[in-house]
Amino acid sequence: MRLVSDLFDPEPARWGLRGDPWVWRAMNEYVAGLALPPSVGEVERLLKATFDRVVGIDLATESAPWVYREEFAHGGLSSGSVHLETWRSELLPTLIDRARSQLSG
């Protein structure tokens, strides 16, 4: 059985801000044990909803380029900062592309 959490391995080499890897890991934990939905559209909806739940904002409507979340602060200058633009343009698309590969293969 393919799991949604399989999409999170490996972690990206680049992040937007220091909170991003912690969000990645929290999302991975949130979907642990969930079967990969049968369509890319369903995976995309699930991942966006998971991000919204983990970070506490609606990525589709939030206009700020980044948000601060105390739970993702683990040291460093931008610690706890989540770069929403990187999630929109790189990180979520990476997960969706991985799902597309899993579902077509």
Side-chain angles (χ1 to χ4, degrees), residues 23-93:
V23 172
W24 183 276
R25 294 168 195 146
M27 288 179 63
N28 188 5
E29 287 178 23
Y30 189 83
V31 299
L34 290 180
L36 191 65
S39 76
V40 174
E42 289 174 274
V43 172
E44 183 173 359
R45 283 188 292 281
L46 173 64
L47 291 170
K48 287 179 178 179
T50 300
F51 180 91
D52 294 355
R53 175 83 174 187
V54 165
V55 179
I57 59 107
D58 183 347
L59 192 60
T61 60
E62 179 59 55
S63 61
W66 61 274
V67 295
Y68 175 80
R69 294 295 181 261
E70 181 70 34
E71 63 269 30
F72 303 123
H74 296 276
L77 188 59
S78 67
S79 181
S81 297
V82 179
H83 196 248
L84 304 180
E85 290 302 316
T86 298
W87 279 96
R88 287 184 191 107
S89 66
E90 296 178 36
L91 300 176
L92 281 174

